[in-house]
Amino acid sequence: MDKFRMIFQFLQSNQESFMNGICGIMALASAQMYSAFDFNCPCLPGYNAAYSAGILLAPPLVLFLLGLVMNNNVSMLAEEWKRPPGRRAKDPAVLRYMFCSMAQRALIAPVVWVAVTLLDGKCFLCAFCTAVPVAALGNGSLAPGLTPQELARLLARVPCPEIYDGDWLLAREVAVRYLRCISQALGWSFVLLTTLLAFVVRSVRPCFTQVAFLKSKYWSHYIDIERKLFDETCTEHAKAFAKVCIQQFFEAMNQDLELGHAHGVLATATAAPAATDNAGEEREKLHGIMDQGSVNRLLTSWHECKPPLRLGQEEPLMGNGWAGGGPRPPRKEVATYFSKVHCDI
Amino acid sequence: MDKFRLLFQHFQSSSESVMNGICLLLAAVTVKLYSSFDFNCPCLERYNALYGLGLLLTPPLALFLCGLLANRQSVVMVEEWRRPVGHRRKDPGIIRYICSSVLQRALAAPLVWILLALLDGKCFVCAFSSSVDPEKFLDFANMTPSQVQLFLAKVPCKEDELVRDNPARKAVSRYLRCLSQAIGWSITLLLIMAAFLARCLRPCFDQTVLLQRRYWSNYVDLEQKLFDETCCEHARDFAHRCVLHFFASMQREMRARELRQDTAGRDPEPPEGPEASDGPDGGSGKAHLQAISSREQVDRLLNTWYSSKPPLNVASSPGLWGGGLSHRAATVAPGTRLSQHTDV
């Protein structure tokens, strides 16, 4: 169980690891889905090719888009792309890195589907059964006696053993074996090609732009973690806000009742220090943001004017947060995220 | 067991995670339900379509309603929608945000059912076998129209004597299944594309408004939960004091009876009741809960919470809410002057 917990924690540590886990699960799900899916060739001349093309292409597209949708980085990428620069400039290299990493992971499940489909052979058989060379494989001398439509209708039924009635022209087994063999060859070539491509990309990349790659990776992780922490902090703030609000509500009722009924017995004077101890703790969690307007302003400026990537300094209005430079005022060891928003909203 | 505890903790980490967990659970239940359901097409002309379409559409409706029921946020949304304004303005954007999030989650299980049914094909074959065009299949050339109709109605039933081992039945069944699967995959593709576009394009419009709505809808949910917890705490406190008060008064009564019976002039012992009952209370430090100490007061508190929620401003002290809670005017607290950010 410890092993499982460690794996779970590792996968959750950042979005990329999490996506690796999801990616593996989706690849397995893709293979499972193929085996559970009941392939059903229509065995009609016009429909075979359409059905097979659909089955070869639609599920991979669905899996690719699903991989992108499940990846939180998509909305993060869109946000990072569309946000106003504020006090933090945008780095296109980071955006490119995020997009490439997302696309690579999302491509794995579709590749698994296509590979499994080709290696299985049913789809290929359904699509190309009307193109089988009858002259070479069967009784070629009998073929000219049939019109092309009749031939097509006959051959279209090859994938369906229970309704095939053309054994006199072409043994079904022969056609099936021929097409499956081509399909498997294509499948293995596809697998080889994709693995080769992945290998080349992975090994060759460090030869070019390794430094830029490291920087992009770092800042991409940073943006992801910052976003998560911001959401967590907002939730904690909302919780503290709610607690203080409810406490004040009860106290107000208390005061109201005292004014109304002059009960005087309840020592609110002595109760106040005890209550403010609890309330004080909660109030600290509010970081000074104590009403609706301030919260809205905070959220607006988080999007429109992200703080610079420099802790502990009062930033001048010009200069971006990515590059350093400019004269440095004396440092103050405090993060300036919540207070003093300088830009115009 | 550790595995489940980990998963459970992960899903409980925030209310959104809880709802996602419930949504996934419902989807898994749907898959299991579909696979264990024994499909039984009537194979009679007029009833086929009714059965097939009914089975395609009724369980999804039931699952949709289940999804709405299982989601706490639907109740939160309705409460927020119907509450009187009180000291706190209502923001329709928040209600819309909660509504869309509830609907999205509730639609997952019905869609899973519909997609499974279409990809499997049995419902579709049952519903539309009588509507197939016999011209497509040459095997019907030498049958009268009424015979054709009867035959087509029996296509979904493999074991029926009229159609057993008949290649025409297999051809029609194949054709319909293939059509059903094509429709199923198309719907899946459309939905996933819509979800992808929604996810991609959302930050391009009104990102700040979205952040604000997300924060405040989360706040409304948390506040409701915390209020329920505080009320529970208060009820426990109240009950505790009530019980102690009762014991103390019983003790006093018994003492008073002893004193009356005992006329030998013993010193009356000082009643220990009030101190005994104050002891446990004084140390708890939750004076704001002890203020409310009668049924009418509790009723009044709950009534005020509903009809006049406090303003979203904890910087000022509670007495300054425009003359106390009994004052029903919709006074806006001083901190909300920048409220134009939430107006859409």
Side-chain angles (χ1 to χ4, degrees), chain A residues 173-195:
Chain A
E173 268 308 307
V174 170
V176 166
R177 220 174 308 145
Y178 174 76
L179 287 169
R180 279 196 78 186
C181 151
I182 296 182
S183 172
Q184 284 179 354
L186 275 174
W188 282 117
S189 313
F190 178 75
V191 168
L192 188 62
L193 206 66
T194 39
T195 8

Side-chain angles (χ1 to χ4, degrees), chain B residues 91-317:
Chain B
D91 185 0
I94 295 177
I95 298 171
R96 277 198 300 267
Y97 180 88
I98 302 180
C99 185
S100 88
S101 122
V102 162
L103 280 178
Q104 278 169 30
R105 284 181 177 86
L107 279 175
L111 285 173
V112 167
W113 177 281
I114 291 180
L115 288 173
L116 275 178
L118 286 175
L119 290 175
D120 187 29
K122 292 195 284 244
C123 277
F124 197 84
V125 172
C126 185
F128 295 104
S129 66
S130 309
S131 337
V132 164
D133 180 15
E135 306 293 320
K136 283 202 176 73
F137 306 93
L138 292 178
D139 320 78
F140 295 126
N142 48 1
M143 286 164 85
T144 65
S146 58
Q147 277 180 331
V148 166
Q149 280 306 310
L150 188 64
F151 186 90
L152 286 176
K154 298 240 179 244
V155 157
C157 300
K158 283 189 253 217
E159 300 306 317
D160 192 273
E161 350 176 299
L162 184 64
V163 297
R164 199 183 303 171
D165 294 330
N166 192 324
R169 182 204 76 81
K170 290 176 188 156
V172 172
S173 168
R174 266 189 181 270
Y175 169 74
L176 286 170
R177 278 194 80 190
C178 137
L179 206 60
S180 164
Q181 283 176 354
I183 293 178
W185 279 116
S186 312
I187 293 181
T188 316
L189 193 58
L190 273 169
L191 285 173
I192 203 88
M193 211 169 276
F196 173 71
L197 285 174
R199 215 157 182 192
C200 264
L201 296 180
R202 186 182 260 191
C204 303
F205 308 98
D206 284 342
Q207 178 68 357
T208 44
V209 173
L210 178 73
L211 284 174
Q212 287 171 9
R213 284 184 190 161
R214 197 164 67 183
Y215 179 91
W216 290 116
S217 61
N218 198 22
Y219 173 83
V220 163
D221 187 29
L222 281 169
E223 195 189 47
Q224 182 63 25
K225 245 188 282 202
L226 282 169
F227 184 76
D228 288 340
E229 277 174 24
T230 314
C231 282
C232 269
E233 248 180 70
H234 180 269
R236 180 180 296 202
D237 195 50
F238 196 3
H240 191 218
R241 281 185 294 142
C242 252
V243 167
L244 287 176
H245 196 256
F246 172 73
F247 273 80
S249 63
M250 282 301 292
Q251 196 179 36
R252 268 198 298 266
E253 219 181 274
M254 285 184 344
R255 283 239 177 78
R257 217 178 296 156
E258 274 174 24
L259 280 177
R260 266 187 265 120
Q261 285 174 0
D262 184 11
T263 53
R266 240 182 261 186
D267 296 319
E269 294 184 9
E272 296 168 13
E275 284 88 352
S277 67
D278 277 345
D281 300 339
S284 73
K286 292 207 171 89
H288 63 283
L289 292 177
Q290 294 174 24
I292 319 295
S293 54
S294 80
R295 183 183 181 153
E296 293 78 26
Q297 289 172 355
V298 170
D299 288 343
R300 195 166 153 206
L301 179 131
L302 295 172
N303 198 20
T304 316
W305 180 257
Y306 172 71
S307 57
S308 172
K309 279 215 165 54
L312 291 165
N313 185 351
V314 299
S316 53
S317 61

Side-chain angles (χ1 to χ4, degrees), chain A residues 125 157-162 164 166-167 170-177:
Chain A
L125 173 66
R157 292 186 170 191
V158 164
C160 307
E162 63 269 13
Y164 183 61
D167 275 317
L170 174 66
R172 189 183 164 269
E173 268 308 307
V174 170
V176 166
R177 220 174 308 145

Side-chain angles (χ1 to χ4, degrees), chain A residues 1 4-5 8 12 33 37-38 40-44 47 51 55 58-59 61-62 65-66 68-72 74-75 78-79 82 113 153 157 160 162-163 231 234-235 237-239 241-257 263 266 271 274 283 286 290-293 295-297 299-300 302-304, chain B residues 2-3 6-7 10 88-89 119 136-139 167 170-171 173-175 177-178 181 185 188-189 192-193 195-196 199-200 203-204 207-208 211-212 214-216 218-219 222-223 226-227 230-231 234 285 287-292 297 300-301 304-305 308 310-316 318-319 321 324-326 335-336 338 341-342:
Chain A
M1 277 312 122
F4 186 80
R5 194 178 319 177
F8 201 64
Q12 284 251 285
M33 220 164 72
F37 177 66
D38 195 6
N40 188 49
C41 194
C43 293
L44 294 168
Y47 295 84
Y51 183 80
I55 295 297
L61 196 57
V62 166
L65 291 174
L66 193 65
L68 287 180
V69 163
M70 290 186 58
N71 193 343
N72 283 332
V74 163
S75 42
E79 270 177 40
K82 293 305 289 182
W113 176 279
R153 202 181 50 79
R157 292 186 170 191
C160 307
E162 63 269 13
I163 59 178
D231 286 340
C234 278
T235 307
H237 182 273
K239 217 181 271 196
F241 199 117
K243 268 194 204 157
V244 174
C245 201
I246 290 173
Q247 211 165 31
Q248 284 186 351
F249 176 76
F250 272 79
E251 281 167 15
M253 280 299 287
N254 174 20
Q255 282 183 18
D256 224 24
L257 290 165
H263 257 189
L266 288 162
R283 272 167 187 268
L286 293 177
M290 291 181 159
D291 64 272
Q292 191 175 18
V295 170
N296 287 340
R297 220 170 347 145
L299 294 170
T300 304
W302 179 254
H303 173 69
E304 308 235 320
Chain B
D2 257 354
K3 234 191 289 191
L6 261 177
L7 276 170
H10 166 72
R88 189 187 292 183
R89 269 177 321 111
L119 290 175
K136 283 202 176 73
F137 306 93
L138 292 178
D139 320 78
K170 290 176 188 156
S173 168
R174 266 189 181 270
Y175 169 74
R177 278 194 80 190
C178 137
Q181 283 176 354
W185 279 116
T188 316
L189 193 58
I192 203 88
M193 211 169 276
F196 173 71
R199 215 157 182 192
C200 264
C204 303
Q207 178 68 357
T208 44
L211 284 174
Q212 287 171 9
R214 197 164 67 183
Y215 179 91
W216 290 116
N218 198 22
Y219 173 83
L222 281 169
E223 195 189 47
L226 282 169
F227 184 76
T230 314
C231 282
H234 180 269
H288 63 283
L289 292 177
Q290 294 174 24
I292 319 295
Q297 289 172 355
R300 195 166 153 206
L301 179 131
T304 316
W305 180 257
S308 172
L312 291 165
N313 185 351
V314 299
S316 53
W321 292 345
L325 287 167
S326 48
T336 55
L338 288 168
H341 288 291
T342 54

Side-chain angles (χ1 to χ4, degrees), chain A residues 218-230:
Chain A
Y218 179 88
W219 289 116
S220 149
H221 285 181
Y222 172 83
I223 293 174
D224 174 36
I225 292 173
E226 189 189 52
R227 187 187 192 237
K228 231 186 292 199
L229 282 175
F230 182 75

